[in-house]
Amino acid sequence: MTENKPKMDVNIGGLILSNPVIAASGTFGFGREYSKYTDLNKIGAISVKALTLEPRQGNKPPRIAETPGGILNSVGLQNPGVRAFIKDEIPFLRKFDTAIIANIAGNTLEDYCEMAEILSREDIDAVELNVSCPNVKKGCMSFGNTTAGITEITKEVRKHLRKPLIVKLTPNVTDIKEIALAAEAEGADAISLINTLYGMAIDIHRKRPILANNFGGLSGPAVKPIALRMVYEVSKAVKVPVIGMGGITTGDDAVEFMLAGATAIMVGTANFVNPTACVEVEKGIENYLSMYNINDVNDIIGILELN
Amino acid sequence: MTENKPKMDVNIGGLILSNPVIAASGTFGFGREYSKYTDLNKIGAISVKALTLEPRQGNKPPRIAETPGGILNSVGLQNPGVRAFIKDEIPFLRKFDTAIIANIAGNTLEDYCEMAEILSREDIDAVELNVSCPNVKKGCMSFGNTTAGITEITKEVRKHLRKPLIVKLTPNVTDIKEIALAAEAEGADAISLINTLYGMAIDIHRKRPILANNFGGLSGPAVKPIALRMVYEVSKAVKVPVIGMGGITTGDDAVEFMLAGATAIMVGTANFVNPTACVEVEKGIENYLSMYNINDVNDIIGILELN
Amino acid sequence: MSKVISEKVEKVEQLAKSIYRMTIKSAYISENAKPGQFVNVKCSEGINALLRRPISICKVDKDRGTFDIVFQIKGIGTEYLAQKTATSEVDLIAPLGNTFNIDAKHEKIAVVGGGIGIFPLLYLLRELKDVEKRAYLGFRNKDFAVLLDEFEANCNVLNISTDDGSMGYKGLVTDILENDLKSCNFDIIYTCGPMPMIKRVVEIAHKNNIKCQVSMEQRMGCGIGACLVCACKTKKEESWEYSHVCKDGPVFWSDEVIFDD
Amino acid sequence: MSKVISEKVEKVEQLAKSIYRMTIKSAYISENAKPGQFVNVKCSEGINALLRRPISICKVDKDRGTFDIVFQIKGIGTEYLAQKTATSEVDLIAPLGNTFNIDAKHEKIAVVGGGIGIFPLLYLLRELKDVEKRAYLGFRNKDFAVLLDEFEANCNVLNISTDDGSMGYKGLVTDILENDLKSCNFDIIYTCGPMPMIKRVVEIAHKNNIKCQVSMEQRMGCGIGACLVCACKTKKEESWEYSHVCKDGPVFWSDEVIFDD
Ligand SMILES: Cc1cc2nc3c(=O)[nH]c(=O)nc-3n(C[C@H](O)[C@H](O)[C@H](O)COP(=O)(O)OP(=O)(O)OC[C@H]3O[C@@H](n4cnc5c(N)ncnc54)[C@H](O)[C@@H]3O)c2cc1C
Ligand SMILES: Cc1cc2nc3c(=O)[nH]c(=O)nc-3n(C[C@H](O)[C@H](O)[C@H](O)COP(=O)(O)OP(=O)(O)OC[C@H]3O[C@@H](n4cnc5c(N)ncnc54)[C@H](O)[C@@H]3O)c2cc1C
Ligand SMILES: Cc1cc2nc3c(=O)[nH]c(=O)nc-3n(C[C@H](O)[C@H](O)[C@H](O)COP(=O)(O)O)c2cc1C
Ligand SMILES: Cc1cc2nc3c(=O)[nH]c(=O)nc-3n(C[C@H](O)[C@H](O)[C@H](O)COP(=O)(O)O)c2cc1C
Ligand code: FES
Ligand code: FES
């Protein structure tokens, strides 16, 4: 079977990935910790923990709550800042055969543009615009849930960024297609979705929310049907590649997203449960292709037929 | 302990329920089937399967798909029509000490108004406006996801309805508060939420959606954190009582919703797994009250403190 | 009258690579069940497999107060069920659904089953006394052909087909049925299995003017007739309606069902 | 170096109403673990309890290649864990976290534990040789007081308090500590347990100029330092930062931690 290994590389707006599996931002750090448990060379790309212009400490703990089939998190963008990333993390990640996607979040439009300028000069493969983090009071959330917001930020960042631009969408909106089309119109090379769904969990004994931040973002298997529907809608609406995520745990889950139209997929929460999840998902996609004698993963993208 | 049984009755916009547990529309039929397994007298109210002006057959099967911690359904409003309900079901339900909430769905504004007129003359306790069913092509969905739509339908139905009016909201919107405020402004006596989240599940072997209708509404434990956040937001925003639902399976789940601001709660998907779920949820709320020596369920409504 | 009931597992036996038989102690169900009925069984703790799974009753032993279900592993629910052991309990709603029509006037009957559809038919055969019974069973291949000795013991003639010819006739079981009908007749045919097989059986029965009952499968929510998800298109006066497999079925007369969904 | 590893359960024992000890066979973990470290254990199949649960290592038997964890049932995860039997496997990431500071210069040490915080301290006591060891353990009531014989065997003086006086001193265990400090001194105090207790111990240690290590608890996601959810406020130069319990801890020097979150 080794000679029959299907062709796994995919093209995300000019960026070629060795396979369609990407570690989702915020769930994989900068790859360091997971490198002890899994072979980073076998992962198509790593979208690193969201970077901000200056270092950030994030929210108070508890920052996580388990919910049925999912988790709520309110990390609040703790990160060492874009410059420390460049100095300390890029050299480490470059030792591996995996693409680097810099996920960026800002308080202001200027923050985003400045990070785009800085990162354009660095050895990374793409930038993912986090305009949809539910866990910070001001900033990125507000750009992501209106077409006006997404238009403005995509247009401005595009001017400053000389790398493929992935715009990551929030699912907390009435019409996701509209938001995706706005991002595409302003020059996004790809759309990734979904970020987390805004939620809450309560400790009935303390009569307070479990998260110190009160609210958080829901991810994990629970959100899969919502994510899948949105990925389908967006990939029907836009022409640029779509990166799908939300609850992917197995190769079969990934195949669902690819059939629905995703050119690549991201694995998030599943990494916490199983540090080798990304590699297992990749293997699972290969198994599916082998089962049906498909020799190029691109042949399953968007082939879902409606009933 | 019997003499110390806490006071369980709540007031939903003038409608007094013997306890805050309501069977959610579409999950309990007209109570007939469940009456074989559970004591309907112990349930505060039953919101019946959505009624339309004329009988409807609903969507093709399969109409259900299991997803992680939840289900997708696309029943598509199968029901015998409002007149058959009046003739065949009200007399049956009236044998029990439980309030009857008529959940109504229409294709047009006129449908809703006509049903409101008809039901105003009948022996029911309240009407719940289903403006948010994701499983029919035209009609109710479109009213529910804009403030303009909700304003129009609430205003018109209010003119024709001489019963307490509960407006049920869809969670598939960017800002649920705004929608709730619009319903309140036009005379809703209570707000219920959430209806199902729009989603999809794919059979990777047939390369088609599992549901014949392709898309469906997500309910069950998976949606609980989203529902809870929305119930909190809405009950902070409006003055009318809020009926909370989404994934409630146990008394503790119900308490979470009540702490967050719900005056009553609905149990849906849990009935399928456990036909006595409603009664067990009620018992669970009582246990919680006893544990903390609270002798009126109204004392826990909305007392959540943020961190 | 069905009940929500927690019962002790007496035995779990592997019959084939992916097929298991579970014997469950239940005075109530063994007393009340009839052929064609099913149990709706909780297949996990917590939310892992959220919904109950419908499984046909395959055998009832009133004396011992037990009944059997036989199931094939398809996904998480049946996989979990297969891990139960003699010390486990199962949480059931049962018995559910209507029953096969059993009529003293029927002198010669046939059952036509495919795959997991054979199990309710075996229960039916066991309960039919003093009748000439023929069974027609189709399988993907011999690895799925289970309980043949019990079929053998409960009918007069047993016909087997497999898709790949690894056992019995190679081809469709309905070919055997059709061929037999040239030389013999039945008062009624009962069928359960994959939809293409059912459709073909119904076609053959109608062409030969034989009464026919089909046992239908559909994805279920509540299993008790309340949620309306398990729709099955049936005739109604000049038109049609959606009946429900869990309550109006699983057994329907073949001329009631409209097979175009 | 920690690993993702599936290991056999050797024994599960109920120590009190809601407290269980599990002995797990693992050459790898017993060889590599150090006091203060924890395992991150999968507590369900499928999605029932989605996240792994962190549980401290309570004992290591290198010769037999086993280690023990002791846990109290709090919710769905620990409840599931308690149902494991001698034939089960557990899926672990282990050993994780840093370790208590053990220094040959320490001649007299104290451990102060409350509730489930006592288990990592017992492991520490077992590994500390040739030192004078005193243990101060506080419990809600005597029903939660477990493993006392093992504490007894592994320290020179054992002090017990309960909130309701049902065993030992009635009141706070830190009262006993404070009183003892009038007449004796320690080179280091190790503490683990409820936050109010930890804070009080740190206060007492600082007032008495005794070095102190605290083992912290926080809700975790990954357990390996990647997701950054398990934040713990610590000093950094003139200011502070969020360190992470799973990686930078669970053990911190008492003067590193800022207890105002
Ligand atoms: C009336 C009736 C009687 C049945 N009797 C038997 C029997 O005796 N032996 C047997 O092996 N199987 C029987 N089945 C099929 C059995 O219910 C499914 O194989 C089983 O539900 C699959 O569950 P799973 O978790 O293993 O698979 P999954 O695919 O993980 O199940 C996912 C969901 O789809 C539903 N589902 C999947 N396949 C079917 C199906 N074919 N029919 C209905 N729902 C389905 C499940 O109930 C569940 O809700 C019967 C079905 C019906 C409707
Ligand atoms: C480093 C460390 C070591 C620990 N050692 C032990 C030990 O030796 N014995 C023991 O009984 N307990 C120990 N705990 C606490 C133990 O992790 C929790 O009691 C357990 O996770 C509760 O899980 P549950 O599913 O039973 O409860 P649930 O309340 O259902 O858990 C829900 C979620 O909250 C998390 N959670 C709940 N309580 C805690 C807590 N106190 N700390 C961290 N996460 C929590 C769970 O991990 C899970 O993600 C330790 C915790 C940490 C952080
Ligand atoms: C703990 C945690 C932290 C996250 N941080 C980020 C982030 O920094 N930037 C971002 O774009 N998404 C972030 N996400 C969202 C994930 O990248 C992903 O969109 C989401 O978790 C859905 O995928 P999943 O269900 O596979 O986890 C975070 C998610 C989790 C669980
Ligand atoms: C099978 C099914 C049918 C439903 N039909 C209706 C309906 O007719 N009218 C309505 O307002 N809501 C309907 N709902 C939504 C429920 O009333 C409820 O809002 C939703 O399921 C969330 O609650 P739960 O998670 O407890 O199920 C239906 C839900 C299910 C699962
Ligand atoms: S499964 Fe609910 S009506 Fe049949
Ligand atoms: S739990 Fe993920 S960093 Fe500590």
Side-chain angles (χ1 to χ4, degrees), chain C residues 124-179:
Chain C
L124 174 66
L125 287 176
R126 291 188 217 262
E127 300 295 309
L128 286 172
K129 318 278 178 194
D130 309 319
V131 201
E132 195 189 325
K133 302 176 276 189
R134 290 200 188 188
Y136 298 83
L137 308 181
F139 301 101
R140 208 179 317 162
N141 62 55
K142 69 172 181 346
D143 298 341
F144 293 88
V146 295
L147 298 178
L148 298 187
D149 44 345
E150 308 206 10
F151 272 96
E152 197 90 65
N154 286 286
C155 70
N156 303 87
V157 185
L158 175 60
N159 301 282
I160 308 268
S161 78
T162 53
D163 296 351
D164 66 353
S166 56
M167 178 185 275
Y169 171 77
K170 174 173 175 170
L172 300 177
V173 73
T174 45
D175 294 348
I176 318 182
L177 174 70
E178 209 168 10
N179 199 49

Side-chain angles (χ1 to χ4, degrees), chain B residues 272, chain C residues 40 219-231 244-247:
Chain B
F272 302 167
Chain C
N40 210 10
R219 287 179 185 248
M220 293 186 178
C222 66
I224 64 170
C227 74
L228 310 188
V229 306
C230 60
H244 296 96
V245 171
C246 71
K247 198 187 167 200

Side-chain angles (χ1 to χ4, degrees), chain A residues 4-296:
Chain A
N4 283 332
K5 192 173 143 64
K7 185 172 165 316
M8 290 297 283
D9 51 296
V10 293
N11 182 334
I12 303 290
L15 164 62
I16 310 288
L17 304 183
S18 61
N19 71 63
V21 179
I22 306 172
S25 176
T27 67
F28 213 74
F30 300 107
R32 260 180 214 281
E33 292 78 17
Y34 282 100
S35 70
K36 297 176 199 153
Y37 303 95
T38 197
D39 184 356
L40 302 189
N41 299 300
K42 292 192 177 156
I43 302 176
I46 295 172
S47 177
V48 302
K49 175 72 204 161
L51 303 165
T52 51
L53 201 51
E54 302 303 328
R56 270 182 72 108
Q57 290 304 326
N59 293 325
K60 280 193 184 182
R63 293 177 174 182
I64 192 168
E66 192 178 86
T67 66
I71 61 173
L72 286 170
N73 89 81
S74 59
V75 172
L77 300 177
Q78 178 167 17
N79 81 99
V82 67
R83 293 181 190 85
F85 164 70
I86 292 166
K87 186 162 129 313
D88 303 331
E89 306 298 343
I90 296 182
F92 170 78
L93 279 171
R94 269 299 171 239
K95 291 193 250 168
F96 300 93
D97 178 23
T98 189
I100 306 175
I101 301 174
N103 182 283
I104 62 172
N107 288 329
T108 62
L109 199 54
E110 291 68 39
D111 285 0
Y112 280 101
C113 293
E114 191 172 341
M115 280 191 278
E117 274 299 343
I118 294 171
L119 288 164
S120 290
R121 296 187 293 264
E122 300 299 330
D123 185 16
I124 57 155
D125 299 295
V127 164
E128 182 175 48
L129 219 53
N130 181 352
V131 287
S132 48
C133 172
N135 296 322
V136 287
K137 294 237 157 43
K138 54 180 188 169
C140 59
M141 176 71 159
S142 44
F143 289 110
N145 52 22
T146 63
T147 48
I150 207 91
T151 297
E152 184 183 14
I153 193 160
T154 312
K155 179 189 266 168
E156 293 306 315
V157 170
R158 183 73 284 180
K159 290 184 197 156
H160 295 271
L161 184 68
R162 297 171 300 280
K163 300 272 181 186
L165 173 60
I166 303 164
V167 176
K168 183 166 181 178
L169 306 186
T170 170
N172 302 295
V173 297
T174 309
D175 185 354
I176 191 92
K177 297 182 298 295
E178 184 183 287
I179 311 267
L181 285 166
E184 181 183 43
E186 299 304 333
D189 298 301
I191 306 288
S192 63
L193 74 162
I194 59 171
N195 209 316
T196 53
L197 282 143
Y198 202 43
M200 175 168 177
I202 293 173
D203 181 334
I204 61 171
H205 304 292
R206 291 175 54 246
K207 301 184 188 66
R208 288 176 173 273
I210 292 178
L211 299 174
N213 197 46
N214 299 314
F215 305 97
L218 182 68
S219 63
V223 310
K224 201 181 78 170
I226 303 167
L228 203 54
R229 184 265 298 178
M230 289 189 167
V231 165
Y232 176 83
E233 286 182 348
V234 168
S235 64
K236 283 286 158 195
V238 302
K239 287 181 199 69
V240 296
V242 168
I243 303 173
M245 82 197 87
I248 296 176
T249 307
T250 66
D252 286 359
D253 293 335
V255 170
E256 283 194 65
F257 279 84
M258 297 192 75
L259 293 172
T263 299
I265 58 89
M266 291 185 172
V267 177
T269 304
N271 295 305
F272 301 167
V273 186
N274 174 12
T276 60
C278 285
V279 173
E280 286 174 31
V281 166
E282 195 279 334
K283 192 78 207 133
I285 301 173
E286 278 189 36
N287 289 348
Y288 176 84
L289 298 175
S290 302
M291 192 185 345
Y292 290 105
N293 287 309
I294 300 166
N295 46 39
D296 184 344

